[in-house]
Amino acid sequence: MLTALTVKKHERRKGIKGLTDRLRRDRAVVKIKRARGVYLKHITYISYGRKPRFEKLEKIVGDSKNRIICSPKIKFESDSKFKRFENSDFSARLCTNLAIYLLSMCDFTEKLKIGIYDLDGRESEFLPYVMKYSSDVTVVTDCPDVYYDENELVMENMGACSVVTKRTEELEHCHLIIAPHTIEKTFSSNENTLILTNGRPKAELTGEVYYKYYFKMPNGFDRIKPQELETEYFCSALYSLGRQYSLGSIVPTMCSNFSATQTVKSLYAMFEKLYKNSAKSADEN
Protein backbone atom coordinates (compact mmCIF):
# COMPACT_ATOMS: atom_id res chain seq x y z
CA MET A 1 0.00 0.00 0.00
CA LEU A 2 1.26 3.46 -0.89
CA THR A 3 1.18 6.24 1.70
CA ALA A 4 0.56 9.89 0.86
CA LEU A 5 0.64 12.82 3.29
CA THR A 6 -1.14 16.15 3.02
CA VAL A 7 -0.64 18.87 5.63
CA LYS A 8 -3.30 21.48 6.26
CA LYS A 9 -2.44 24.40 8.49
CA HIS A 10 -5.42 25.61 10.50
CA GLU A 11 -5.34 29.40 10.51
CA ARG A 12 -5.76 30.72 14.01
CA ARG A 13 -8.71 32.98 14.51
CA LYS A 14 -8.68 36.13 16.62
CA GLY A 15 -10.10 36.71 20.08
CA ILE A 16 -11.73 33.97 22.11
CA LYS A 17 -11.94 31.70 19.09
CA GLY A 18 -8.17 32.03 18.65
CA LEU A 19 -7.63 30.94 22.26
CA THR A 20 -9.80 27.92 21.56
CA ASP A 21 -7.69 27.09 18.50
CA ARG A 22 -4.50 27.13 20.59
CA LEU A 23 -6.00 24.56 22.92
CA ARG A 24 -6.99 22.21 20.14
CA ARG A 25 -4.79 19.23 19.34
CA ASP A 26 -3.48 18.32 15.91
CA ARG A 27 -5.38 15.52 14.26
CA ALA A 28 -5.04 13.18 11.31
CA VAL A 29 -7.72 12.00 8.91
CA VAL A 30 -7.00 8.76 7.05
CA LYS A 31 -8.71 7.61 3.87
CA ILE A 32 -7.98 4.45 1.90
CA LYS A 33 -8.38 4.90 -1.84
CA ARG A 34 -8.13 2.35 -4.63
CA ALA A 35 -7.64 2.59 -8.40
CA ARG A 36 -6.56 0.01 -10.98
CA GLY A 37 -5.40 -2.40 -8.30
CA VAL A 38 -3.39 0.20 -6.37
CA TYR A 39 -4.26 1.04 -2.75
CA LEU A 40 -3.34 4.45 -1.38
CA LYS A 41 -3.44 5.44 2.28
CA HIS A 42 -3.99 9.20 2.20
CA ILE A 43 -3.25 10.89 5.52
CA THR A 44 -4.39 14.47 5.97
CA TYR A 45 -2.63 16.06 8.94
CA ILE A 46 -4.46 19.09 10.34
CA SER A 47 -2.09 21.26 12.35
CA TYR A 48 -3.20 23.83 14.92
CA GLY A 49 0.30 24.55 16.24
CA ARG A 50 3.20 26.49 14.82
CA LYS A 51 4.58 23.44 13.06
CA PRO A 52 3.38 19.87 12.53
CA ARG A 53 4.41 17.20 14.99
CA PHE A 54 4.96 14.32 12.59
CA GLU A 55 6.07 11.92 15.31
CA LYS A 56 2.38 11.53 16.13
CA LEU A 57 1.92 9.84 12.75
CA GLU A 58 4.46 7.07 13.26
CA LYS A 59 1.94 4.32 13.94
CA ILE A 60 -0.36 5.47 11.13
CA VAL A 61 2.42 5.69 8.55
CA GLY A 62 3.95 2.37 9.56
CA ASP A 63 6.56 0.87 7.24
CA SER A 64 6.23 3.70 4.73
CA LYS A 65 8.14 6.21 6.87
CA ASN A 66 11.07 6.49 4.45
CA ARG A 67 8.98 6.75 1.29
CA ILE A 68 6.12 9.12 2.00
CA ILE A 69 4.45 10.56 -1.09
CA CYS A 70 4.03 14.26 -0.42
CA SER A 71 4.59 17.79 -1.64
CA PRO A 72 8.19 19.13 -1.56
CA LYS A 73 6.79 21.94 0.59
CA ILE A 74 6.55 19.49 3.47
CA LYS A 75 9.86 19.56 5.31
CA PHE A 76 10.96 16.77 7.63
CA GLU A 77 13.71 17.32 10.18
CA SER A 78 17.10 15.85 9.27
CA ASP A 79 16.93 13.46 12.23
CA SER A 80 13.32 12.53 11.53
CA LYS A 81 12.25 8.96 10.83
CA PHE A 82 10.19 10.32 7.95
CA LYS A 83 11.47 10.87 4.43
CA ARG A 84 9.82 12.08 1.24
CA PHE A 85 9.69 9.60 -1.63
CA GLU A 86 12.01 10.55 -4.46
CA ASN A 87 12.93 8.46 -7.48
CA SER A 88 13.81 9.49 -11.03
CA ASP A 89 13.24 6.17 -12.85
CA PHE A 90 9.83 7.09 -14.25
CA SER A 91 10.95 10.58 -15.29
CA ALA A 92 13.95 9.01 -17.02
CA ARG A 93 11.55 6.84 -19.01
CA LEU A 94 9.58 9.90 -20.09
CA CYS A 95 12.82 11.41 -21.37
CA THR A 96 13.96 8.32 -23.27
CA ASN A 97 10.48 7.55 -24.61
CA LEU A 98 10.19 11.04 -26.10
CA ALA A 99 13.68 10.73 -27.60
CA ILE A 100 12.84 7.41 -29.28
CA TYR A 101 9.50 8.72 -30.55
CA LEU A 102 11.24 11.78 -31.97
CA LEU A 103 13.78 9.59 -33.74
CA SER A 104 10.98 7.45 -35.16
CA MET A 105 9.59 10.57 -36.86
CA CYS A 106 12.87 11.48 -38.57
CA ASP A 107 13.69 10.67 -42.19
CA PHE A 108 17.34 11.68 -41.69
CA THR A 109 18.35 9.41 -38.79
CA GLU A 110 21.13 7.68 -40.72
CA LYS A 111 23.01 11.01 -40.70
CA LEU A 112 22.42 11.81 -37.05
CA LYS A 113 25.11 11.91 -34.42
CA ILE A 114 23.50 10.95 -31.13
CA GLY A 115 24.94 11.24 -27.63
CA ILE A 116 23.83 9.45 -24.47
CA TYR A 117 24.96 11.12 -21.24
CA ASP A 118 24.58 8.53 -18.50
CA LEU A 119 27.33 8.90 -15.91
CA ASP A 120 25.94 6.25 -13.54
CA GLY A 121 25.37 3.71 -16.30
CA ARG A 122 21.78 3.20 -15.14
CA GLU A 123 20.19 3.35 -18.58
CA SER A 124 22.39 0.97 -20.61
CA GLU A 125 19.36 -1.06 -21.73
CA PHE A 126 18.25 2.04 -23.64
CA LEU A 127 21.21 1.77 -26.05
CA PRO A 128 19.71 -0.75 -28.58
CA TYR A 129 16.61 1.40 -29.00
CA VAL A 130 18.75 4.38 -30.00
CA MET A 131 20.99 2.36 -32.29
CA LYS A 132 17.95 1.13 -34.15
CA TYR A 133 17.84 4.62 -35.68
CA SER A 134 21.53 5.60 -35.83
CA SER A 135 24.85 3.78 -35.83
CA ASP A 136 26.71 6.98 -34.90
CA VAL A 137 26.11 6.91 -31.15
CA THR A 138 28.47 8.12 -28.44
CA VAL A 139 27.93 7.16 -24.82
CA VAL A 140 29.55 9.26 -22.10
CA THR A 141 29.59 7.38 -18.81
CA ASP A 142 31.71 6.84 -15.71
CA CYS A 143 30.67 3.17 -15.81
CA PRO A 144 31.94 1.99 -19.21
CA ASP A 145 31.93 -1.72 -18.31
CA VAL A 146 28.12 -1.70 -18.18
CA TYR A 147 27.94 -0.29 -21.69
CA TYR A 148 30.66 -2.61 -23.02
CA ASP A 149 28.41 -5.55 -22.14
CA GLU A 150 25.44 -3.90 -23.83
CA ASN A 151 27.59 -3.07 -26.85
CA GLU A 152 28.43 -6.75 -27.32
CA LEU A 153 24.74 -7.61 -27.51
CA VAL A 154 24.13 -4.77 -29.97
CA MET A 155 27.01 -5.98 -32.12
CA GLU A 156 25.61 -9.52 -32.16
CA ASN A 157 22.08 -8.40 -33.04
CA MET A 158 22.67 -5.33 -35.20
CA GLY A 159 26.25 -5.56 -36.42
CA ALA A 160 27.10 -2.12 -35.03
CA CYS A 161 28.36 -0.65 -31.79
CA SER A 162 28.53 2.68 -30.02
CA VAL A 163 31.56 4.64 -28.86
CA VAL A 164 31.82 4.42 -25.07
CA THR A 165 33.97 7.02 -23.33
CA LYS A 166 34.40 9.14 -20.23
CA ARG A 167 35.33 12.19 -22.32
CA THR A 168 32.47 14.71 -22.43
CA GLU A 169 34.23 16.48 -25.31
CA GLU A 170 32.98 13.69 -27.57
CA LEU A 171 29.46 15.11 -27.31
CA GLU A 172 30.36 18.42 -28.92
CA HIS A 173 29.21 17.57 -32.44
CA CYS A 174 26.09 15.56 -31.55
CA HIS A 175 22.77 16.62 -33.03
CA LEU A 176 20.82 15.03 -30.17
CA ILE A 177 22.00 14.39 -26.61
CA ILE A 178 19.85 12.24 -24.34
CA ALA A 179 20.53 12.58 -20.61
CA PRO A 180 17.95 10.48 -18.70
CA HIS A 181 19.00 11.86 -15.31
CA THR A 182 19.56 15.40 -14.05
CA ILE A 183 22.65 17.03 -15.53
CA GLU A 184 24.87 18.31 -12.71
CA LYS A 185 28.05 19.12 -14.66
CA THR A 186 28.53 21.05 -17.88
CA PHE A 187 29.67 19.27 -21.03
CA SER A 188 30.51 20.13 -24.62
CA SER A 189 27.66 20.73 -27.05
CA ASN A 190 26.81 23.34 -29.66
CA GLU A 191 24.02 25.79 -30.45
CA ASN A 192 22.43 23.34 -32.90
CA THR A 193 22.20 20.53 -30.36
CA LEU A 194 18.88 19.36 -28.95
CA ILE A 195 19.28 18.10 -25.38
CA LEU A 196 16.54 16.04 -23.72
CA THR A 197 17.07 15.46 -20.03
CA ASN A 198 15.23 14.82 -16.78
CA GLY A 199 14.93 17.72 -14.35
CA ARG A 200 16.26 21.24 -14.71
CA PRO A 201 20.03 21.06 -15.35
CA LYS A 202 22.28 22.27 -12.55
CA ALA A 203 24.93 23.39 -15.04
CA GLU A 204 24.94 25.76 -18.00
CA LEU A 205 24.62 24.05 -21.38
CA THR A 206 24.83 25.18 -24.98
CA GLY A 207 21.92 24.17 -27.21
CA GLU A 208 18.16 23.73 -26.95
CA VAL A 209 17.48 22.02 -23.62
CA TYR A 210 14.14 20.47 -22.61
CA TYR A 211 13.63 18.79 -19.25
CA LYS A 212 9.98 18.93 -18.16
CA TYR A 213 7.39 16.55 -19.64
CA TYR A 214 3.60 16.53 -19.81
CA PHE A 215 1.24 13.64 -20.42
CA LYS A 216 -2.23 12.41 -19.62
CA MET A 217 -2.43 10.20 -16.56
CA PRO A 218 -4.27 6.91 -17.20
CA ASN A 219 -7.94 6.90 -16.20
CA GLY A 220 -8.59 6.07 -12.58
CA PHE A 221 -5.34 7.23 -11.03
CA ASP A 222 -6.55 10.83 -11.10
CA ARG A 223 -9.23 9.88 -8.56
CA ILE A 224 -6.69 8.91 -5.91
CA LYS A 225 -3.99 11.53 -6.58
CA PRO A 226 -3.76 14.16 -3.82
CA GLN A 227 -4.61 17.49 -5.39
CA GLU A 228 -1.37 19.25 -4.44
CA LEU A 229 0.90 16.67 -6.12
CA GLU A 230 2.26 17.02 -9.64
CA THR A 231 1.13 14.31 -12.04
CA GLU A 232 4.68 13.28 -12.95
CA TYR A 233 5.69 12.89 -9.31
CA PHE A 234 2.60 10.86 -8.43
CA CYS A 235 3.06 8.58 -11.45
CA SER A 236 6.68 8.15 -10.41
CA ALA A 237 5.44 6.74 -7.10
CA LEU A 238 2.92 4.51 -8.88
CA TYR A 239 5.69 3.24 -11.15
CA SER A 240 8.41 2.66 -8.54
CA LEU A 241 6.41 1.83 -5.42
CA GLY A 242 3.14 0.58 -6.89
CA ARG A 243 4.82 -1.51 -9.59
CA GLN A 244 2.66 0.03 -12.29
CA TYR A 245 5.30 -0.63 -14.91
CA SER A 246 2.88 -0.08 -17.78
CA LEU A 247 3.30 3.64 -17.05
CA GLY A 248 6.83 3.24 -18.37
CA SER A 249 5.47 3.13 -21.92
CA ILE A 250 3.96 6.63 -21.75
CA VAL A 251 5.19 9.04 -24.43
CA PRO A 252 4.89 12.70 -23.39
CA THR A 253 2.64 14.91 -25.50
CA MET A 254 4.51 18.09 -24.60
CA CYS A 255 7.77 19.24 -23.07
CA SER A 256 9.16 22.51 -21.77
CA ASN A 257 12.32 24.26 -20.62
CA PHE A 258 13.20 27.53 -18.90
CA SER A 259 10.92 29.61 -21.11
CA ALA A 260 9.23 27.63 -23.89
CA THR A 261 6.79 24.76 -24.34
CA GLN A 262 6.74 22.40 -27.31
CA THR A 263 4.33 19.81 -28.59
CA VAL A 264 5.90 16.70 -30.08
CA LYS A 265 5.17 18.09 -33.56
CA SER A 266 6.76 21.48 -32.89
CA LEU A 267 9.73 19.82 -31.16
CA TYR A 268 10.33 17.74 -34.25
CA ALA A 269 10.15 20.85 -36.46
CA MET A 270 12.76 22.50 -34.23
CA PHE A 271 14.97 19.41 -34.30
CA GLU A 272 14.80 19.25 -38.08
CA LYS A 273 15.75 22.93 -38.31
CA LEU A 274 18.66 22.47 -35.90
CA TYR A 275 19.89 19.51 -37.94
CA LYS A 276 19.76 21.47 -41.19
CA ASN A 277 21.58 24.41 -39.57
CA SER A 278 24.25 22.01 -38.34
CA ALA A 279 24.65 20.44 -41.78
CA LYS A 280 24.88 23.87 -43.39
CA SER A 281 27.59 24.97 -40.93
CA ALA A 282 29.55 21.78 -41.60
CA ASP A 283 29.42 22.40 -45.39
CA GLU A 284 30.62 25.96 -44.95
CA ASN A 285 33.55 24.82 -42.87
Side-chain angles (χ1 to χ4, degrees), residues 162-177:
S162 64
V163 174
V164 180
T165 179
K166 293 184 178 182
R167 290 169 48 85
T168 59
E169 298 91 330
E170 300 297 327
L171 297 173
E172 185 173 357
H173 299 294
C174 289
H175 302 107
L176 171 66
I177 297 175

Side-chain angles (χ1 to χ4, degrees), residues 152-204:
E152 288 185 10
L153 295 175
V154 172
M155 176 63 79
E156 291 177 6
N157 297 325
M158 300 181 180
C161 65
S162 64
V163 174
V164 180
T165 179
K166 293 184 178 182
R167 290 169 48 85
T168 59
E169 298 91 330
E170 300 297 327
L171 297 173
E172 185 173 357
H173 299 294
C174 289
H175 302 107
L176 171 66
I177 297 175
I178 307 160
H181 298 280
T182 304
I183 299 171
E184 299 193 3
K185 299 178 181 179
T186 190
F187 55 69
S188 301
S189 55
N190 65 78
E191 61 183 9
N192 291 316
T193 301
L194 174 62
I195 302 173
L196 297 179
T197 186
N198 161 21
R200 183 166 183 161
K202 298 180 181 179
E204 291 188 10

Side-chain angles (χ1 to χ4, degrees), residues 12-55:
R12 287 185 179 177
R13 294 167 292 183
K14 296 181 180 180
I16 298 299
K17 292 182 178 180
L19 178 61
T20 302
D21 289 340
R22 285 194 291 272
L23 296 175
R24 298 181 72 172
R25 294 184 177 182
D26 294 356
R27 61 192 179 93
V29 178
V30 180
K31 292 184 178 180
I32 305 298
K33 302 178 181 180
R34 180 180 182 277
R36 300 170 71 101
V38 176
Y39 287 88
L40 177 76
K41 181 193 295 182
H42 186 191
I43 304 168
T44 300
Y45 183 98
I46 302 173
S47 174
Y48 293 91
R50 291 185 176 180
K51 64 178 184 178
R53 298 175 63 185
F54 292 121
E55 64 273 11

Side-chain angles (χ1 to χ4, degrees), residues 114-172:
I114 301 175
I116 298 176
Y117 183 75
D118 180 23
L119 296 187
D120 295 336
R122 293 166 58 184
E123 306 300 332
S124 61
E125 294 180 358
F126 173 57
L127 181 61
Y129 297 94
V130 176
M131 297 202 69
K132 175 182 176 181
Y133 297 98
S134 174
S135 59
D136 194 348
V137 177
T138 298
V139 178
V140 173
T141 180
D142 288 336
C143 303
D145 290 347
V146 177
Y147 273 94
Y148 290 154
D149 293 342
E150 197 67 43
N151 245 343
E152 288 185 10
L153 295 175
V154 172
M155 176 63 79
E156 291 177 6
N157 297 325
M158 300 181 180
C161 65
S162 64
V163 174
V164 180
T165 179
K166 293 184 178 182
R167 290 169 48 85
T168 59
E169 298 91 330
E170 300 297 327
L171 297 173
E172 185 173 357

